[in-house]
Amino acid sequence: MKKIITLLVCCFCLVGCKEPFEPKSYDFESYLVVEGNLTNELKKQQITLSKTYELTENNSPYVNNATVWVEDDTGASHTYSYTENGIYESDIAFQAEQNKTYQLFISTPNGELYSSEEVTTPPTAEITTLYPEYNNNENEINILLDANITNETAKFFRYEYIETYKIIVPHWYDIDFEIINFETDPYNSDFISYDIVFNQRDPNERVCYSTINSTGIIQTSTKDLETNNIFRFPVRILDENDLSLTRERYSILVKQFVQNESAYNYYNTLNELGNTGDILSPNQPGYIKGNISLENNPEKRVLGFFEVTTLDSERIYFDHTLYSNEKPAYLYACDIWTYDYAAYDFPNERLLLSQRYNLGYKLLHFSGGNIYTIVNPECGDCTSFSSSVEPDFWEE
Amino acid sequence: MAIKKAIIILLICTCIPQLILAQSSDKLSVNFNRVSLKEAFSVLEKKTGIKFYYQDHWIANKIVSKNYEKATLKNILNDVLEETTLNFIVYNNTVILINNSVVYTDLPLNYFNTSNNNYNDNSAIFYNEYDKAIRSKKNLIIIGKQNENSIQTECTITGVVKNDNTGAPIYNMVIALQNSNTYTTTDKNGYFKIIVPSGYNVLEAKLMGYDNISKELIVYGNGRMNLSISENAEQLDEVLIDAKRDANVKSAVVGLTTIDVVGLKNVPVVLGERDIFKVITTKPGIKKTGEGSSGFNVRGGRTDQNLILLDDAVIYNPSHFLGFFSAINPYTTKSLDIYKASIPSEYGGRLSSVFDIQSKNGNTKTFSGEGALGPVTANLTLETPIIKEKSALIVGARATYSDWVLNLIDEASLKDSEASFFDGLAKYSHQINDNNNIQGTYYYSKDAFSISNDSILKNSNQLISLKWNHTFNEKNTLETILVNSQYKYDVNYESNANRNFDFGYKVNETQIKLNAGYIHNKKHKFNYGISSKLYNTNPGKISPIGANSNIQAKILQKEKGLESALYVANIFKLNKNLTIDTGLRYSYFSALGKATVNVYENDKPRIATSISEVKEFGKNESIKSYGVFEPRISFRYLFNSGFSIKGSYNRTAQYIHLLSSNTTESPTDTWKLSDYNIKPQKANQFALGVYKNLKDNNIELSLEAYYKTMEDILDYRVGGDIIMNENIEQVLLQGKGKAYGIEFLLEKKKGRLNGWFGYSYSRAFTKLDSPFIFDKVNNGDYFPANYDKPHDVSLVANYKLTHRYSFSANVAYQTGRPITYPIGKYMFAGEEQVVYSDRNKYRIPDYFRVDIGFNIEGNHKIKKLAHSFWNISIYNVLGRANPYSIFFVNENGHVQAYKTSVFAVPIPTITYNFKF
């Protein structure tokens, strides 16, 4: 026992690993997918109809030839007409009213009639505050939401957001260049010649506004809470890579939908199945039945849900001064080159200049002679990836 | 069969007998002048210092008058006893007189004709046998007293076998008659009883891990023989051997798997953890859902259907770190028996199997210890006598070094995690006297790990077992067992919002059991008893952490239940060939208040809107009771010594169920008692097997087939919330199960090459049907269970190069397990979602793994401080990435498929084991 016991540790080893793979496609079946959210906002309401598609594909097929209508318990019917991208819009603006139930009907050209359960309008609830908060440890911004819910029966919430941010290109030059009279030597394709002309640039190419809709399911519930309050719910987290969005000015519009419990459960289950669960004890996946079924064949799968919600929304603005006086990096890396038109041997700068011109590079500096400084389009012209139209709501 | 009172213990042999001693050959001079034999012996005792053993009445009235000059003790005794019927042997510094050989004046007819000796073979014992025994000069034992007029052809020998070092009784030791098929095994108290023909016999005692000994006996009548046997720590060859010599052929138990714990040391292991549970999954009929998942699927049963007993107390979660390691310390474990089909009537409460784990008794002779150092844990076991030869304590503990295992996992979400575990066992055993012994075991295990930065999971098992064995007489015994088990876990979640909480779950059970044995006669043995178990569960408790937390403190109502059972079993030996084991068990469960119970409308699904009544029950008021009659019957028909056929029917019931929303068992699953809405699970199993032993029982072959049906097994609605659900019955479904299969096992026990090969073809199905669409899974048809893996091949082999070096290998192949696979995608909520196939319609790729190991025993010097043993092993030597699971996640609005594998590269390990 007095022996000196030495321990030999095992060599470097890996215990577990997770790797992505391309799944094979099996037994594909096409099912109807319904996404409908009737809110208490007076507007032309929308229903989206699409179909399932194969694992190997990337585009959702839309259903554009169905007849869609919503009936309420008073017998009033609202018909919807197809617009585009699978979206059907009500012919007349209307809104979900309290103490009413609504039912969605879809009839397809092959004679199938789908209907939803009757859905009641949930109570309303207001957002109290929406505020950004910088987290120094993680170097991220949490967009947090507080809501003191006065109606005790409003317990289930789903969120969507639309974020808009202002962009000012970092390398702006009033004048752009254009290549004309491009000629290639028939005996040596590397030997080229062209003329360069200058144009005054549209100043709108300097400032832009990008708008992005949220994706995915963002939910919370006050079911297990002592008080019916939402406190510091993170609707959106701008991580380190997203901080560039706050370089000039950032705005987020958060929409809070009060859901019915069954709708909450449907979205919540769907969301959980889209997450891994515990890697070693994965969730049991399967078909989740929504509230829409095919008349005469209730066992046929129909994906999606028709929900009635009440809406409150809140918009805030902020910029980088929230956490630093220094501007964060621009959205894109800037690629700047200086070429001499006269250099056509080695390196053949004349050729390189023309090639980059074709990629959309913008003039950054011209000081006369044959020397041109250029920059990639993302850093010289924001309309190359965004829109120069200032949104109506925008406040500086 | 009556046992004669006049039993003389002539000899208790020890394990290092020495027959010829120096004193016995010394020359003596002595003069006897009309002295009694008794006086003569006492003179000789004084002169030689050798003690004489005899019965006074043998030598009454015998007078000696002789003078001896420089004679040896032997010569003197030969001379003195010449006129008497006494014989003697000099043994171990003693002289033993034998008064049972009568001089026959005539030899029987066939004395010189050995070719035809069936004639009246047992009528008497003759000199040649006696001579043979004397001449062999080893361990001669004479039992009973010969009487010229008695022709007792069969004699009963009883005795107790003890461990020479520890004094503890040895369980399962095979006592076999050489060159015959007669054998028996020792019971838990080391007691055995064997019927042998009178005359010269050789009895062999065998058990893995102990010296094989053989005893030569001359048997004249019924008698007693106690044995004391040493452990053979140095022995390498006898690994991987089933303890029960030819028990596979002869017992009436179908579907029994016995694991030799000592032999485990040569089986290659992962990360150096010797693991009895890893080894059992190499036996046919016992599977795991995936590598590193916890729980066992025995013959198509679910993971919650195994009654895992450690010293008679239930251990709820016998694994560490999600199932990578077992929570049973191999160094404190004596034996593991798994009943897959014929479950003895004394056990109940689970559908599929009983894992009977017995821990070791401490060493009652000297202080000793054993330990191991591996890359993950250190392990130390100490044994010490408390009262020498009577009582002892064994204490074993095992703990992880650090949290580095998780850091090796190449998975970002686990990278910053930590994991540690501990388990410890203490057992006190006390042999009060021949008829009473008591033992007490305490076991505790604990795991702590964090899967993400903001949550920590802690879970622990605790059990206490107290047992009193009492022998009333040779026919009646009683075990009184009192056990308590507890499993609990706690999840601590702290992020920076208002949802910080602490969640706790606990299940506790206390059982008292009286288990009696009664041997009516040679043909009928009975086992009967009564047991009662009280369950208390705290299904969930959540409380806020910190002032900011807005979580509502909530405690789900406690569940309470009383499970009682009455049983009687009879082993009936109709004749030499046919044995029938009949067991009757009646179990009765009452769900007890205090509780508030939802009553649902009869023909409606169990949803909130179909509640027809809410009933209140007071404290200890019976909410609902269920009684299940559980007959268990099996037979064995022995065609000849090494070949038998067996069959069984078993019915079992289960009143506590594991709720799991995952495809594999997880430590955060909860146990739920049957109640007003949840019925007990029930199962029927039919099994049939043929068993053949070859080459003196060295090779065992078995082929078993089974068919099993299950009722009211629990499942749940997809997406149902199982944790902190006050109306849990609303998300639970009860369905049917069926399973069938055929299992083949070839086991070679001895020789340079030993090990086993197993193959099984088995299927397991579940059916969840209901009149309500959303309670149907796969249209209410049978679908493969998560652990349905039809083909399963395993090979465990050990090859001994020399006494010190051996090489071992495992090969495992299994059909991939079923999974629910995506069959398409769709757009919803602005991102891609997955459409899943019917449940378990597809399979992950097949599983294949090879492990190798090399074992080095320490040197065999007698005087050394510790006996050491090195094990070098490579787990998954081919580095095959066997998929564990396949899953799909939404990443940036698109579905991405991932597959995970556990231990995807070869894992080399070195462990050092020592014993002192």
Side-chain angles (χ1 to χ4, degrees):
Chain A
M1 191 53 197
K2 284 172 188 167
K3 260 185 184 176
I4 296 163
I5 297 158
T6 51
L7 165 70
L8 295 175
V9 178
C10 88
C11 311
F12 168 75
C13 62
L14 276 155
V15 179
C17 68
K18 165 181 145 186
E19 53 183 309
F21 76 105
E22 201 58 52
K24 275 185 273 176
S25 201
Y26 294 108
D27 290 1
F28 172 73
E29 270 190 68
S30 181
Y31 301 114
L32 177 67
V33 182
V34 181
E35 186 171 6
N37 180 4
L38 173 63
T39 72
N40 62 343
E41 187 183 15
L42 181 64
K43 63 167 190 179
K44 287 192 171 181
Q45 303 287 345
Q46 292 183 341
I47 299 286
T48 307
L49 301 183
S50 63
K51 294 231 158 197
T52 55
Y53 51 101
E54 300 231 21
L55 288 175
T56 46
E57 289 175 10
N58 282 317
N59 289 312
S60 171
Y62 298 119
V63 177
N64 56 17
N65 52 5
T67 312
V68 178
W69 70 99
V70 168
E71 286 178 14
D72 66 27
D73 52 355
T74 64
S77 176
H78 306 271
T79 52
Y80 287 61
S81 302
Y82 187 72
T83 57
E84 55 174 359
N85 296 338
I87 298 169
Y88 292 73
E89 217 166 59
S90 63
D91 298 341
I92 301 160
F94 73 109
Q95 68 195 117
E97 291 169 41
Q98 289 294 316
N99 304 318
K100 270 194 179 179
T101 62
Y102 297 87
Q103 193 175 12
L104 171 70
F105 294 90
I106 299 154
S107 117
T108 59
N110 57 10
E112 290 177 326
L113 177 66
Y114 296 87
S115 64
S116 76
E117 291 167 10
E118 292 178 19
V119 187
T120 56
T121 309
T124 56
E126 285 178 6
I127 297 170
T128 310
T129 42
L130 183 70
Y131 50 100
E133 189 176 275
Y134 179 69
N135 177 342
N136 200 31
N137 295 331
E138 306 285 335
N139 191 25
E140 63 186 21
I141 296 168
N142 293 302
I143 315 272
L144 301 171
L145 182 142
D146 290 353
N148 300 322
I149 315 294
T150 47
N151 190 329
E152 280 298 315
T153 53
K155 287 185 176 295
F156 305 98
F157 305 90
R158 187 168 70 80
Y159 296 93
E160 289 174 9
Y161 62 81
I162 300 167
E163 51 189 351
T164 308
Y165 49 92
K166 187 178 181 181
I167 300 150
I168 300 177
V169 293
H171 300 289
W172 177 253
Y173 198 57
D174 290 338
I175 297 163
D176 201 5
F177 72 125
E178 191 183 346
I179 288 177
I180 54 169
N181 301 328
F182 187 89
E183 277 177 23
T184 309
D185 187 326
Y187 303 103
N188 180 356
S189 62
D190 281 352
F191 187 75
I192 53 170
S193 68
Y194 48 80
D195 297 322
I196 291 179
V197 293
F198 298 103
N199 303 316
Q200 195 67 35
R201 283 186 63 189
D202 179 354
N204 285 334
E205 292 176 1
R206 180 170 164 262
V207 180
C208 295
Y209 302 87
S210 278
T211 296
I212 297 168
N213 290 330
S214 62
T215 59
I217 298 165
I218 306 162
Q219 283 182 298
T220 191
S221 150
T222 58
K223 188 176 56 169
D224 298 322
L225 301 185
E226 228 162 36
T227 53
N228 202 18
N229 286 339
I230 299 166
F231 177 67
R232 296 174 64 78
F233 178 72
V235 180
R236 164 85 163 115
I237 295 169
L238 293 162
D239 67 21
E240 213 164 349
N241 301 324
D242 295 329
L243 290 183
S244 298
L245 307 184
T246 64
R247 185 178 154 97
E248 307 299 338
R249 188 161 176 78
Y250 173 90
S251 174
I252 185 167
L253 172 73
V254 171
K255 295 180 180 178
Q256 171 178 279
F257 300 99
V258 180
Q259 294 184 291
N260 288 311
E261 185 170 9
S262 57
Y264 175 86
N265 288 342
Y266 181 86
Y267 276 85
N268 193 39
T269 307
L270 193 66
N271 197 26
E272 273 175 17
L273 290 185
N275 291 315
T276 56
D278 192 333
I279 285 178
L280 292 171
S281 34
N283 288 329
Q284 172 66 60
Y287 166 60
I288 321 155
K289 181 146 175 49
N291 64 347
I292 298 154
S293 46
L294 175 61
E295 305 265 318
N296 305 324
N297 185 8
E299 306 225 337
K300 167 139 185 176
R301 287 185 179 192
V302 184
L303 304 170
F305 210 89
F306 169 66
E307 68 169 332
V308 180
T309 60
T310 63
L311 171 69
D312 187 37
S313 59
E314 183 81 24
R315 177 181 291 282
I316 53 167
Y317 296 87
F318 62 92
D319 63 22
H320 64 91
T321 54
L322 176 74
Y323 56 93
S324 166
N325 287 326
E326 221 170 283
K327 280 193 177 189
Y330 184 65
L331 287 169
Y332 298 92
C334 294
D335 187 32
I336 297 168
W337 296 94
T338 300
Y339 293 122
D340 183 355
Y341 179 81
Y344 54 86
D345 261 353
F346 189 79
N348 189 342
E349 293 187 13
R350 181 185 296 179
L351 179 65
L352 290 169
L353 178 64
S354 70
Q355 285 170 345
R356 293 222 145 72
Y357 167 78
N358 288 330
L359 291 171
Y361 275 60
K362 298 287 172 190
L363 188 63
L364 180 55
H365 189 66
F366 174 68
S367 45
N370 286 324
I371 312 293
Y372 301 86
T373 301
I374 57 171
V375 66
N376 56 328
E378 293 85 355
C379 293
D381 172 13
C382 66
T383 60
S384 63
F385 63 94
S386 181
S387 160
S388 60
V389 181
E390 185 184 297
D392 298 339
F393 57 80
W394 192 259
E395 295 170 6
E396 280 300 327
Chain B
M1 193 179 198
I3 297 172
K4 280 191 177 176
K5 283 282 172 200
I7 294 168
I8 303 154
I9 307 166
L10 284 172
L11 189 60
I12 296 169
C13 63
T14 58
C15 79
I16 324 146
Q18 295 204 317
L19 193 60
I20 307 300
L21 291 157
Q23 292 98 315
S24 64
S25 51
D26 285 350
K27 296 280 174 19
L28 299 168
S29 296
V30 63
N31 181 28
F32 300 127
N33 188 10
R34 286 198 64 79
V35 295
S36 71
L37 254 185
K38 191 177 166 69
E39 287 169 65
F41 289 159
S42 84
V43 170
L44 288 171
E45 277 181 337
K46 271 182 202 149
K47 289 216 172 227
T48 59
I50 293 176
K51 185 117 182 75
F52 281 53
Y53 290 93
Y54 52 88
Q55 297 280 307
D56 283 350
H57 67 265
W58 294 350
I59 53 171
N61 310 323
K62 296 249 161 68
I63 304 294
V64 190
S65 289
K66 280 265 166 97
N67 190 32
Y68 300 97
E69 289 289 332
K70 292 197 172 166
T72 63
L73 179 63
K74 275 192 152 184
N75 290 340
I76 296 169
L77 286 174
N78 269 329
D79 194 45
V80 167
L81 300 176
E82 199 178 19
E83 304 272 296
T84 71
T85 56
L86 298 173
N87 255 303
F88 73 95
I89 51 171
V90 182
Y91 179 85
N92 227 5
N93 225 9
T94 56
V95 166
I96 294 148
L97 296 183
I98 306 158
N99 183 33
N100 39 25
S101 293
V102 185
V103 177
Y104 284 81
T105 49
D106 293 307
L107 290 174
L109 270 171
N110 293 306
Y111 183 64
F112 296 109
N113 182 358
T114 52
S115 65
N116 179 20
N117 56 1
N118 287 335
Y119 158 79
N120 206 14
D121 196 24
N122 289 316
S123 63
I125 297 143
F126 299 104
Y127 295 123
N128 66 328
E129 290 184 341
Y130 179 72
D131 291 349
K132 189 159 69 182
I134 291 292
R135 275 201 305 271
S136 69
K137 291 184 176 174
K138 260 197 167 179
N139 303 346
L140 175 72
I141 301 172
I142 292 159
I143 289 175
K145 181 181 171 187
Q146 190 181 21
N147 176 338
E148 200 177 353
N149 299 319
S150 101
I151 302 174
Q152 192 181 358
T153 55
E154 285 190 327
C155 305
T156 305
I157 299 174
T158 56
V160 172
V161 184
K162 287 191 173 174
N163 184 315
D164 188 45
N165 296 326
T166 65
I170 302 174
Y171 175 43
N172 263 339
M173 170 77 74
V174 173
I175 309 291
L177 190 59
Q178 203 178 55
N179 302 323
S180 138
N181 289 316
T182 306
Y183 79 100
T184 186
T185 52
T186 57
D187 68 9
K188 286 172 186 173
N189 302 320
Y191 178 82
F192 71 91
K193 179 171 163 183
I194 188 165
I195 295 167
V196 300
S198 57
Y200 176 75
N201 288 296
V202 179
L203 275 189
E204 296 173 316
K206 290 183 179 178
L207 178 64
M208 240 319 296
Y210 290 91
D211 285 330
N212 282 348
I213 60 161
S214 59
K215 296 285 172 195
E216 291 176 79
L217 321 171
I218 290 186
V219 181
Y220 296 113
N222 299 336
R224 192 172 164 92
M225 175 180 76
N226 291 338
L227 296 170
S228 185
I229 299 175
S230 310
E231 282 176 74
N232 59 344
E234 317 276 325
Q235 205 162 318
L236 252 182
D237 54 339
E238 304 227 2
V239 294
L240 317 175
I241 298 177
D242 192 291
K244 292 171 183 164
R245 175 190 156 117
D246 78 358
N248 64 318
V249 173
K250 293 213 172 156
S251 78
V253 178
V254 190
L256 173 68
T257 301
T258 299
I259 298 300
D260 163 38
V261 178
V262 179
L264 287 178
K265 66 178 182 180
N266 288 353
V267 178
V269 290
V270 60
L271 295 170
E273 292 304 307
R274 205 188 283 182
D275 189 334
I276 56 175
F277 285 165
K278 284 257 159 56
V279 173
I280 64 174
T281 57
T282 64
K283 299 275 186 159
I286 305 166
K287 297 175 208 267
K288 279 187 151 205
T289 307
E291 197 168 4
S293 67
S294 50
F296 305 96
N297 300 106
V298 178
R299 289 196 166 171
R302 304 197 158 204
T303 56
D304 66 342
Q305 295 173 352
N306 306 309
L307 184 69
I308 301 176
L309 300 174
L310 176 61
D311 284 343
D312 307 295
V314 174
I315 174 163
Y316 273 89
N317 184 2
S319 59
H320 284 307
F321 184 40
L322 305 163
F324 279 109
F325 306 110
S326 95
I328 302 296
N329 186 339
Y331 296 91
T332 56
T333 305
K334 183 170 71 182
S335 64
L336 167 60
D337 289 333
I338 300 157
Y339 297 93
K340 298 182 291 187
S342 304
I343 296 175
S345 298
E346 65 165 298
Y347 300 117
R350 296 290 189 281
L351 291 194
S352 291
S353 74
V354 174
F355 288 49
D356 182 15
I357 306 164
Q358 294 290 335
S359 53
K360 283 180 188 165
N361 285 341
N363 187 331
T364 58
K365 290 196 169 164
T366 56
F367 177 75
S368 63
E370 195 172 359
L373 290 171
V376 180
T377 67
N379 197 330
L380 182 67
T381 300
L382 299 173
E383 301 178 39
T384 181
I386 305 291
I387 305 168
K388 278 235 169 177
E389 311 282 344
K390 277 200 173 292
S391 69
L393 184 68
I394 179 169
V395 177
R398 180 166 64 149
T400 47
Y401 299 115
S402 63
D403 299 328
W404 68 269
V405 184
L406 271 172
N407 292 328
L408 295 178
I409 297 179
D410 188 20
E411 160 59 43
S413 69
L414 297 179
K415 202 96 191 168
D416 299 323
S417 309
E418 55 174 71
S420 62
F421 62 78
F422 166 85
D423 60 64
L425 178 139
K427 182 179 185 183
Y428 175 76
S429 51
H430 190 151
Q431 181 81 37
I432 297 165
N433 53 38
D434 276 356
N435 290 330
N436 290 289
N437 70 64
I438 53 167
Q439 64 180 48
T441 305
Y442 176 80
Y443 170 86
Y444 181 75
S445 81
K446 187 181 169 119
D447 269 62
F449 58 97
S450 59
I451 289 295
S452 55
N453 286 332
D454 42 24
S455 68
I456 296 171
L457 169 71
K458 289 178 181 165
N459 60 284
S460 66
N461 286 292
Q462 176 182 276
L463 58 91
I464 298 164
S465 160
L466 300 171
K467 186 170 173 180
W468 172 38
N469 291 321
H470 178 67
T471 306
F472 293 101
N473 49 45
E474 276 169 356
K475 284 176 175 259
N476 287 288
T477 55
L478 177 69
E479 289 180 334
T480 307
I481 300 164
L482 179 67
V483 290
N484 174 272
S485 311
Q486 179 174 293
Y487 175 68
K488 63 179 178 184
Y489 73 83
D490 187 271
V491 178
N492 195 298
Y493 176 84
E494 288 191 55
S495 71
N496 59 358
N498 61 332
R499 298 190 156 258
N500 298 343
F501 66 85
D502 183 76
F503 172 79
Y505 169 81
K506 186 164 97 177
V507 56
N508 187 304
E509 62 161 70
T510 304
Q511 184 183 35
I512 183 150
K513 177 170 162 182
L514 299 174
N515 184 35
Y518 168 62
I519 301 167
H520 180 67
N521 57 31
K522 204 175 158 188
K523 289 198 160 181
H524 284 282
K525 275 189 202 168
F526 291 90
N527 171 231
Y528 59 97
I530 184 166
S531 68
S532 196
K533 183 184 273 189
L534 180 70
Y535 292 101
N536 274 298
T537 77
N538 294 9
K541 184 180 81 175
I542 193 162
S543 53
I545 298 178
N548 267 343
S549 177
N550 206 359
I551 292 284
Q552 186 181 350
K554 189 160 122 184
I555 299 175
L556 293 187
Q557 68 185 12
K558 288 183 185 177
E559 291 191 321
K560 198 169 182 181
L562 188 69
E563 180 186 332
S564 303
L566 203 64
Y567 60 90
V568 56
N570 169 234
I571 299 178
F572 178 32
K573 280 190 186 163
L574 254 76
N575 53 43
K576 219 176 152 187
N577 297 332
L578 183 62
T579 300
I580 296 176
D581 188 344
T582 317
L584 302 174
R585 180 182 174 91
Y586 183 76
S587 58
Y588 188 81
F589 178 83
S590 275
L592 302 176
K594 175 179 184 194
T596 305
V597 170
N598 294 330
V599 182
Y600 295 86
E601 289 174 53
N602 262 337
D603 47 358
K604 294 264 178 76
R606 281 201 302 251
I607 53 174
T609 52
S610 62
I611 295 175
S612 63
E613 190 188 346
V614 176
K615 284 191 178 175
E616 293 285 342
F617 291 89
K619 198 177 178 191
N620 293 333
E621 188 180 348
S622 176
I623 298 167
K624 190 145 185 175
S625 297
Y626 302 93
V628 181
F629 179 57
E630 305 174 42
R632 318 222 174 131
I633 183 158
S634 61
F635 76 91
R636 178 270 285 154
Y637 189 85
L638 186 67
F639 287 95
N640 57 42
S641 61
F643 179 55
S644 69
I645 181 165
K646 297 185 212 177
S648 74
Y649 165 73
N650 248 50
R651 182 164 170 85
T652 45
Q654 177 165 348
Y655 303 99
I656 185 166
H657 324 275
L658 188 69
L659 306 182
S660 176
S661 61
N662 303 318
T663 50
T664 60
E665 194 179 314
S666 123
T668 54
D669 295 341
T670 56
W671 291 86
K672 157 113 190 75
L673 294 175
S674 282
D675 62 16
Y676 193 89
N677 293 301
I678 305 300
K679 286 176 270 188
Q681 308 179 51
K682 293 172 283 291
N684 296 296
Q685 189 189 164
F686 298 89
L688 190 67
V690 287
Y691 308 83
K692 175 79 187 153
N693 285 8
L694 300 168
K695 304 213 165 160
D696 195 23
N697 297 321
N698 186 16
I699 294 176
E700 289 186 3
L701 289 165
S702 69
L703 189 66
E704 288 187 10
Y706 65 90
Y707 181 82
K708 186 176 190 173
T709 58
M710 292 173 274
E711 297 155 52
D712 292 320
I713 52 175
L714 255 75
D715 213 289
Y716 81 110
R717 292 190 181 127
V718 171
D721 207 352
I722 280 172
I723 301 290
M724 284 309 288
N725 190 336
E726 284 168 311
N727 303 306
I728 185 89
E729 67 277 0
Q730 291 179 9
V731 298
L732 297 180
L733 308 174
Q734 289 198 288
K736 290 183 173 179
K738 77 175 174 192
Y740 54 84
I742 187 155
E743 299 168 358
F744 171 76
L745 181 66
L746 178 141
E747 208 163 348
K748 184 172 182 294
K749 302 178 151 193
K750 294 180 214 166
R752 288 182 87 108
L753 176 68
N754 55 60
W756 65 84
F757 168 81
Y759 167 75
S760 66
Y761 177 79
S762 59
R763 300 301 309 270
F765 299 94
T766 308
K767 177 177 174 167
L768 298 168
D769 198 6
S770 159
F772 316 109
I773 295 161
F774 54 86
D775 282 355
K776 277 188 190 184
V777 175
N778 294 8
N779 288 327
D781 299 326
Y782 276 106
F783 61 90
N786 288 331
Y787 44 84
D788 174 57
K789 299 195 269 193
H791 297 283
D792 186 335
V793 181
S794 62
L795 174 73
V796 175
N798 186 270
Y799 185 76
K800 197 175 78 175
L801 298 166
T802 70
H803 264 290
R804 288 185 61 192
Y805 301 104
S806 69
F807 174 81
S808 52
N810 293 345
V811 179
Y813 166 83
Q814 289 170 349
T815 313
R817 70 179 172 89
I819 55 159
T820 308
Y821 198 84
I823 50 172
K825 296 190 283 194
Y826 63 100
M827 284 301 290
F828 192 83
E831 61 186 356
E832 280 188 330
Q833 312 288 349
V834 161
V835 192
Y836 286 96
S837 68
D838 280 348
R839 195 185 286 187
N840 291 347
K841 196 172 176 186
Y842 299 95
R843 288 179 184 278
I844 60 172
D846 292 352
Y847 181 92
F848 181 62
R849 198 190 79 231
V850 177
D851 317 324
I852 53 171
F854 191 68
N855 309 300
I856 305 161
E857 289 278 339
N859 63 48
H860 285 77
K861 270 187 244 157
I862 289 166
K863 287 212 167 189
K864 62 184 171 188
L865 290 166
H867 171 70
S868 63
F869 173 80
W870 291 87
N871 175 290
I872 302 160
S873 61
I874 304 174
Y875 187 86
N876 193 9
V877 71
L878 302 178
R880 198 179 131 94
N882 287 302
Y884 177 89
S885 65
I886 286 174
F887 58 89
F888 300 83
V889 264
N890 257 313
E891 283 180 359
N892 306 319
H894 287 277
V895 169
Q896 176 64 55
Y898 285 101
K899 58 180 173 186
T900 56
S901 46
V902 178
F903 303 124
V905 293
I907 299 179
T909 319
I910 295 177
T911 33
Y912 175 72
N913 301 263
F914 56 90
K915 194 171 182 177
F916 58 91

